[in-house]
C-alpha cells in the first residue's frame, strides 16, 4: 500500500452497512423501539451505499437523517432502547469523519445522554444491587440535569475502589494497577483500557459487560456501569487535585480542586549533578528488587499501600505517607523500616534484614538528593536492575540466563520441562515441546526473517557469525515454539498475564534480558506458514534491541512493513486497508494522542505501520538511515529522530497526519 492513495476509501459499508437489524440486542424491546432501530438502520445503510457510489453529498444528508432519528428515538424511548442504539451511535461518529474527509460538511453529532428515567427507575428499584463496600457512598443520579458531568472523585473512584480494589488497587493483578488515576489511564502492559469518548473501544467496559471482571464474586450494577460509560463518553476527565494521589484517599465529599486533608506533598526525584557517589540504577534498585519483591514489587497484595515497582510509586509512598525525604536519609521512613527503628523491621516474612552497609548505601543515596538519571525514570525498578546486570554480562552469560528464563516460563505455562526440545542457530535459541525437526525448521525461517530486516537495519549488523551473531541481541534471542493455539494462549495467560487477540499466532517481547518470540508451529505447518508468522515479530525484536529507548510503535510498525514487503494484495484487500486507515486517522487530532496510547490497539497498529512506511520513501530514506545510525551510536530515540529527520517524532506525525487528511 502506498501512502499517496491513503485517502481513497474502498467502502463505507464497514462502518454503516453492518448496522443491520440482525445485530443482537441485550434486552427485549417493544415494537415501537424495534421500528425506531429499523428506521435508523435503513438511513445508515442508504448513506453507506451512497458513499460507496461516490455520492458524498447525498450520503451526508442520509447520515444526518439517521442522526435526527437517533435524537427522536432517545427522547421518546426507553433506557433499554438507548443501550441498543449505542453501537449505531459509534458507527455514526466514525462515518461522519469519513464523509468529512471527502470535503463534505456534515452536521455535528453529539451522542445524547441516556434517558433520566434509567437512573431514576434503577435508584428506586428495591432489587437493584448497591455497592457492597461498607463505606461506599450512595450513588448520585448521573443523568439528572443538575449534575454537571460525572465526577471521577465523587462517583467513579468509589466504584473502582469497591469493585476492583482487592486485585488492582491494593495489588496489581495481571500487571494492572488502579492505585491512582494516572495508573488507571496508563493501563496494563498490553495497552490502555480507557479511550476517552469511546465506550465501545474501552476494554474496561468490555470486560465488565462480558462478566470477565470483576472477579471473586463482585458485580458492577447497571447504574454503576452507566456512570462509568457516561464518564468515558464525557472525556474520562479527572476532577481531583493530583492524578497521582491514591484512589482510596480521594474524598467523595471533597470539591473538585480540594485535596485530601491529610495529603502530604510527594517528594520529587532529583537530577544527578555528577558529584554523587551512589547510583540508584546499579546499586540501590537491585537491593530493593532483591528484598522487597512479593510485598511491594510485583505484589498480588501490596503491604501498607506501598508499591515500589516504579520510581513514581516509590516516591509517592504508602498509607503512612512518603517513605523518602530527599537529603535526609536517616530521617526517611524507608531507612527507618530497614533499620527497625520505627514499627516492624523490613523486609518482613522471615527474610533476613539487610546488611548495615546496604542500608547505609540507600541512606547515602537519599542524603545525596535521591537522584536518578532522567533517561531511566520511566523504567520499572526491575528493568533498571536487569539493565545494570546486562551492562556487565557477556553475550554467553545472557544466553544462559535466557535459557533459565525459558525453562521457568514453560513451567509457569504448565509445560513439562523434561520434554522440552532445544536447538541453537546463529542468532537464536529455540525451546518447545515439539519434535526436533520442527525446531530446526523454525530456526531456519527465523534466520531468514532476520535477514529480511536488512530492509531497515544495516546489513553488516545482521551478517555476523559465531560470537558476533550471538552478540546481536546481547545474547541469543529465545524462540518459544508451541504446537497448538491453546498452548500459545495459555502461555500468554500464565507468563505474560494477559489475553491475546484470537487471530494472533506469534508475538515478541523485549526488556533487555528477556528477548523472545512466541510462535505457534508444528510438524503439520507448511514452511511458508511458519515464515509468515515469524516475519513481523523477528524484525520488530531486531529493531527494538538496538536501543532501550526505541518505542513500541516504532518497532511494531517497522516490523509490519518488513513483513508486508513480500506480500501481494489484491484491490479489495488494499481498499479495505485504506478504509480502515482513514477511519483510524479520522479520530486523531495530534500526534500527542497517538503517542499517549489514546487509540484502540488495532487502530494504533495500522497507523504505526503507515507512518513507518513513510520513512522508507525516497524523500525520507536518508533521514531514516541517519536515525538508525544515531541509535547505534547510543543516542536516545527522540534525539536520534530529531538529528535524522530534522523534527521531533510528534512534529513529524502531525505533518504526516495533515498530509493524509
Amino acid at each position: 500500500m502506498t501512502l499517496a492513495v491513503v485517502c481513497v476509501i474502498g467502502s463505507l459499508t464497514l462502518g454503516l452497512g453492518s448496522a443491520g437489524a440482525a445485530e443482537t440486542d441485550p434486552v427485549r424491546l417493544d415494537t415501537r423501539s424495534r421500528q425506531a432501530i429499523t428506521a435508523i438502520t435503513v438511513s445508515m445503510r442508504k448513506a453507506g451505499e451512497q458513499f460507496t457510489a461516490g455520492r458524498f453529498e447525498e450520503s451526508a444528508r442520509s447520515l444526518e437523517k439517521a442522526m435526527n432519528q437517533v435524537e427522536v428515538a432517545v427522547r421518546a424511548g426507553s433506557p433499554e432502547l438507548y443501550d441498543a442504539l449505542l453501537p449505531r451511535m459509534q458507527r455514526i461518529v466514525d462515518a461522519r469523519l469519513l464523509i468529512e474527509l471527502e470535503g463534505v460538511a456534515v452536521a455535528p453529532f453529539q451522542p445524547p445522554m441516556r434517558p433520566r428515567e434509567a437512573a431514576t427507575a434503577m435508584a428506586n428499584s428495591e432489587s437493584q444491587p448497591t455497592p457492597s463496600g461498607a463505606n461506599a457512598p450512595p450513588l448520585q443520579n448521573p443523568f439528572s440535569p443538575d449534575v454537571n458531568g460525572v465526577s471521577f472523585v465523587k462517583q467513579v473512584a468509589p466504584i473502582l475502589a469497591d469493585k476492583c480494589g482487592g486485585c488492582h488497587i491494593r495489588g496489581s493483578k495481571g500487571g494492572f494497577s488502579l492505585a491512582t488515576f494516572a495508573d488507571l489511564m496508563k493501563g496494563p502492559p498490553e495497552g490502555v483500557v480507557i479511550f476517552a469518548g469511546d465506550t465501545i473501544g474501552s476494554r474496561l467496559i468490555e470486560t465488565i459487560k462480558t462478566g470477565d471482571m470483576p472477579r471473586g464474586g463482585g458485580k458492577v450494577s447497571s447504574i454503576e456501569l452507566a456512570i462509568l460509560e457516561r464518564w468515558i463518553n464525557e472525556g474520562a476527565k479527572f476532577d481531583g487535585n493530583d492524578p497521582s494521589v491514591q484512589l482510596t484517599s480521594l474524598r467523595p465529599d471533597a470539591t473538585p480542586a480540594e485535596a485530601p486533608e491529610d495529603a502530604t506533598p510527594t517528594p520529587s526525584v532529583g537530577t544527578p549533578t555528577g558529584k554523587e557517589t551512589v547510583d540508584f540504577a546499579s546499586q540501590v534498585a537491585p537491593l530493593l528488587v532483591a528484598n522487597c519483591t512479593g510485598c511491594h514489587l510485583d505484589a498480588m497484595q501490596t503491604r501498607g499501600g506501598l508499591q515500589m515497582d516504579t520510581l513514581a510509586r516509590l516516591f509517592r509512598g504508602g498509607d503512612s505517607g512518603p517513605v523518602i525525604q530527599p537529603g535526609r536519609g536517616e530521617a526517611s521512613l524507608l531507612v527507618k523500616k530497614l533499620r527497625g527503628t520505627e514499627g516492624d523491621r523490613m523486609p518482613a516474612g522471615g527474610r533476613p534484614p539487610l546488611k548495615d552497609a546496604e542500608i547505609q548505601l540507600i541512606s547515602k543515596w537519599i542524603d545525596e538528593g535521591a537522584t536518578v538519571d532522567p533517561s531511566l525514570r520511566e523504567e520499572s525498578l526491575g528493568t533498571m536492575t536487569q539493565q545494570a546486570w546486562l551492562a556487565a554480562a557477556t553475550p554467553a552469560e545472557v544466553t544462559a540466563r535466557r535459557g533459565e528464563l525459558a525453562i521457568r516460563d514453560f513451567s509457569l505455562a504448565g509445560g513439562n520441562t523434561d520434554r522440552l526440545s532445544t536447538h541453537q542457530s546463529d542468532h537464536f535459541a529455540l525451546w518447545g515441546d515439539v519434535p526436533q525437526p520442527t525446531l530446526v525448521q523454525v530456526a531456519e525461517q527465523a534466520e531468514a526473517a532476520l535477514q529480511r530486516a536488512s530492509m531497515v537495519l544495516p546489513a553488516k549488523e545482521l551478517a555476523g557469525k559465531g560470537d558476533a551473531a550471538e552478540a546481536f541481541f546481547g545474547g541469543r534471542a529465545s524462540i518459544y515454539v508451541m504446537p497448538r493455539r491453546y498452548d500459545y494462549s495459555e502461555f500468554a495467560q500464565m507468563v505474560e498475564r494477559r489475553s491475546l487477540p484470537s487471530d494472533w499466532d506469534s508475538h515478541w517481547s523485549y526488556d533487555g534480558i528477556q528477548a523472545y518470540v512466541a510462535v505457534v508451529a508444528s510438524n503439520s505447518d507448511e514452511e511458508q506458514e511458519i515464515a509468515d508468522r515469524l516475519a513481523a515479530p523477528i524484525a520488530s525484536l531486531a529493531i527494538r534491541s538496538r536501543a532501550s529507548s526505541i518505542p513500541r510503535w516504532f518497532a511494531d510498525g517497522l516490523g509490519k512493513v518488513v513483513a508486508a514487503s513480500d506480500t501481494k494484495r489484491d484491490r479489495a484487500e488494499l481498499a479495505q486497508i485504506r478504509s480502515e486507515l482513514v477511519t483510524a486517522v479520522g479520530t486523531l487530532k495530534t500526534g500527542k494522542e497517538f503517542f499517549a496510547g489514546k487509540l484502540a490497539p488495532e487502530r494504533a497498529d495500522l497507523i504505526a505501520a503507515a507512518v513507518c512506511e513513510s520513512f522508507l520513501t525516497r524523500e525520507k530514506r536518508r533521514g531514516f538511515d541517519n536515525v538508525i545510525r544515531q541509535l547505534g551510536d547510543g543516542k536516545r530515540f527522540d534525539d536520534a529522530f530529531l538529528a535524522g529527520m530534522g523534527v521531533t517524532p510528534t512534529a513529524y506525525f502531525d505533518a504526516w497526519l495533515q498530509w493524509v487528511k
Side-chain angles (χ1 to χ4, degrees):
M1 177 181 63
T2 60
L3 292 179
V5 289
V6 150
C7 290
V8 178
I9 301 178
S11 170
L12 188 60
T13 55
L14 291 173
L16 296 176
S18 60
E23 186 172 4
T24 302
D25 291 320
V27 295
R28 185 181 299 276
L29 300 172
D30 58 31
T31 300
R32 184 177 179 182
S33 296
R34 291 197 298 271
Q35 289 174 343
I37 289 178
T38 300
I40 294 167
T41 298
V42 169
S43 298
M44 293 174 69
R45 184 179 290 116
K46 185 176 181 180
E49 292 169 352
Q50 291 166 335
F51 189 97
T52 302
R55 304 199 306 272
F56 304 124
E57 287 283 355
E58 295 176 33
S59 179
R61 304 295 81 79
S62 295
L63 188 64
E64 288 172 349
K65 181 178 180 180
M67 296 178 194
N68 292 331
Q69 290 170 327
V70 167
E71 294 280 355
V72 172
V74 170
R75 283 200 302 268
S78 65
E80 291 78 16
L81 174 58
Y82 180 90
D83 294 339
L85 287 175
L86 273 175
R88 292 162 178 82
M89 293 184 208
Q90 183 60 53
R91 293 191 184 98
I92 288 176
V93 171
D94 291 341
R96 183 179 176 278
L97 290 169
L98 290 176
I99 295 173
E100 285 196 330
L101 287 172
E102 294 298 335
V104 177
V106 189
F109 178 69
Q110 178 66 38
M113 292 190 298
R114 197 168 186 267
R116 180 181 178 182
E117 289 78 6
T120 304
M122 287 185 285
N124 294 333
S125 173
E126 292 183 356
S127 61
Q128 176 61 43
T130 56
S132 58
N135 298 318
L139 292 170
Q140 300 182 28
N141 180 348
F143 307 110
S144 59
D146 59 335
V147 176
N148 186 23
V150 175
S151 164
F152 180 84
V153 172
K154 297 180 180 180
Q155 296 169 274
V156 176
I159 295 173
L160 298 177
D162 182 51
K163 305 300 183 182
C164 313
C167 294
H168 299 291
I169 293 182
R170 291 179 290 279
S172 55
K173 192 171 183 179
F176 183 27
S177 172
L178 293 173
T180 69
F181 174 81
D183 291 331
L184 166 66
M185 299 307 289
K186 180 179 179 182
E190 57 266 31
V192 296
V193 297
I194 291 177
F195 296 100
D198 182 6
T199 57
I200 296 175
S202 295
R203 192 161 183 269
L204 178 72
I205 300 300
E206 177 190 351
T207 56
I208 292 174
K209 285 186 172 181
T210 59
D212 187 41
M213 296 291 173
R215 296 176 181 173
K219 181 175 175 59
V220 175
S221 70
S222 299
I223 192 170
E224 289 170 330
L225 178 59
I227 290 173
L228 294 175
E229 288 186 306
R230 185 183 169 193
W231 172 69
I232 291 175
N233 277 327
E234 291 175 350
K237 298 175 182 177
F238 179 72
D239 57 344
N241 187 59
D242 182 359
S244 66
V245 168
Q246 294 274 337
L247 255 63
T248 51
S249 70
L250 293 173
R251 293 210 331 270
D253 59 339
T255 59
E258 185 180 356
E261 292 179 354
D262 57 350
T264 302
T266 300
S268 58
V269 185
T271 300
T273 63
K275 299 179 181 179
E276 292 80 10
T277 61
V278 181
D279 176 66
F280 180 81
S282 62
Q283 295 175 280
V284 176
L287 288 174
L288 299 179
V289 170
N291 293 278
C292 306
T293 296
C295 292
H296 303 291
L297 289 103
D298 195 22
M300 295 295 289
Q301 194 77 9
T302 304
R303 301 286 184 88
L306 175 60
Q307 293 181 313
M308 300 166 63
D309 300 88
T310 65
L311 276 171
R313 292 175 181 172
L314 171 62
F315 273 74
R316 187 167 59 236
D319 295 342
S320 301
V323 297
I324 292 173
Q325 297 184 40
R328 302 181 63 198
E330 293 301 319
S332 296
L333 184 58
L334 175 63
V335 175
K336 291 180 178 179
K337 286 287 188 180
L338 293 175
R339 293 199 183 280
T341 58
E342 184 164 326
D344 296 332
R345 185 168 189 173
M346 296 292 150
R351 298 182 185 181
L354 272 68
K355 298 176 182 177
D356 186 68
E358 294 172 331
I359 300 174
Q360 183 58 40
L361 190 72
I362 295 172
S363 181
K364 183 69 172 177
W365 167 70
I366 297 174
D367 282 338
E368 293 178 345
T371 64
V372 180
D373 190 312
S375 66
L376 297 174
R377 291 178 185 174
E378 298 302 316
E379 303 284 2
S380 68
L381 266 64
T383 299
M384 285 187 204
T385 300
Q386 290 180 349
Q387 290 178 346
W389 178 86
L390 196 62
T394 66
E397 289 172 332
V398 175
T399 298
R401 176 60 180 147
R402 288 173 180 166
E404 295 170 358
L405 293 173
I407 294 174
R408 181 206 67 181
D409 290 346
F410 273 95
S411 178
L412 285 173
N416 186 344
T417 55
D418 293 335
R419 295 173 50 185
L420 279 182
S421 298
T422 64
H423 176 71
Q424 286 193 351
S425 62
D426 286 334
H427 297 88
F428 302 101
L430 292 88
W431 306 80
D433 187 5
V434 295
Q436 190 72 19
T438 300
L439 289 185
V440 174
Q441 185 180 37
V442 172
E444 291 172 352
Q445 295 305 321
E447 292 289 352
L450 184 60
Q451 296 311 309
R452 287 176 62 184
S454 61
M455 177 179 174
V456 293
L457 292 175
K460 62 181 180 180
E461 292 186 17
L462 303 166
K465 298 291 183 181
D467 292 343
E470 186 174 24
F472 180 81
F473 291 105
R476 285 185 176 86
S478 298
I479 299 181
Y480 298 164
V481 184
M482 295 150 208
R484 301 173 300 171
R485 181 61 175 68
Y486 170 82
D487 302 311
Y488 175 68
S489 177
E490 192 72 6
F491 171 85
Q493 289 278 2
M494 301 306 297
V495 177
E496 300 175 342
R497 295 186 291 187
R498 62 170 175 158
S499 298
L500 298 178
S502 59
D503 59 341
W504 280 24
D505 47 27
S506 63
H507 68 277
W508 63 278
S509 180
Y510 182 87
D511 66 8
I513 293 182
Q514 280 277 48
Y516 66 78
V517 167
V519 62
V520 179
S522 68
N523 55 7
S524 63
D525 288 322
E526 297 292 334
E527 185 177 280
Q528 189 58 48
E529 289 180 296
I530 296 175
D532 290 343
R533 292 171 191 170
L534 289 171
I538 291 291
S540 294
L541 184 64
I543 294 158
R544 175 63 178 84
S545 66
R546 298 305 86 198
S548 63
S549 60
I550 290 177
R552 180 95 192 188
W553 70 266
F554 186 79
D556 269 338
L558 287 173
K560 287 178 171 59
V561 171
V562 170
S565 60
D566 290 341
T567 302
K568 294 183 179 179
R569 294 188 174 93
D570 60 30
R571 185 173 298 178
E573 290 175 317
L574 288 174
Q576 181 174 347
I577 292 173
R578 293 163 190 156
S579 177
E580 291 172 350
L581 180 59
V582 170
T583 301
V585 300
T587 63
L588 282 177
K589 295 180 180 178
T590 67
K592 289 183 179 180
E593 297 176 3
F594 174 73
F595 296 128
K598 299 296 185 182
L599 288 181
E602 60 273 12
R603 291 188 174 184
D605 288 348
L606 193 64
I607 292 174
V611 172
C612 289
E613 187 182 34
S614 74
F615 298 151
L616 307 183
T617 60
R618 182 181 301 176
E619 297 81 6
K620 304 297 182 184
R621 182 66 200 230
R622 181 175 295 180
F624 170 78
D625 290 342
N626 192 20
V627 172
I628 298 299
R629 282 194 298 271
Q630 298 280 341
L631 289 169
D633 292 339
K635 280 196 174 182
R636 289 188 58 77
F637 177 78
D638 286 353
D639 296 332
F641 195 96
L642 179 60
M645 293 296 194
V647 294
T648 65
T650 302
Y652 183 96
F653 188 93
D654 287 343
W656 175 85
L657 190 61
Q658 292 304 312
W659 178 79
V660 168
K661 289 185 174 183

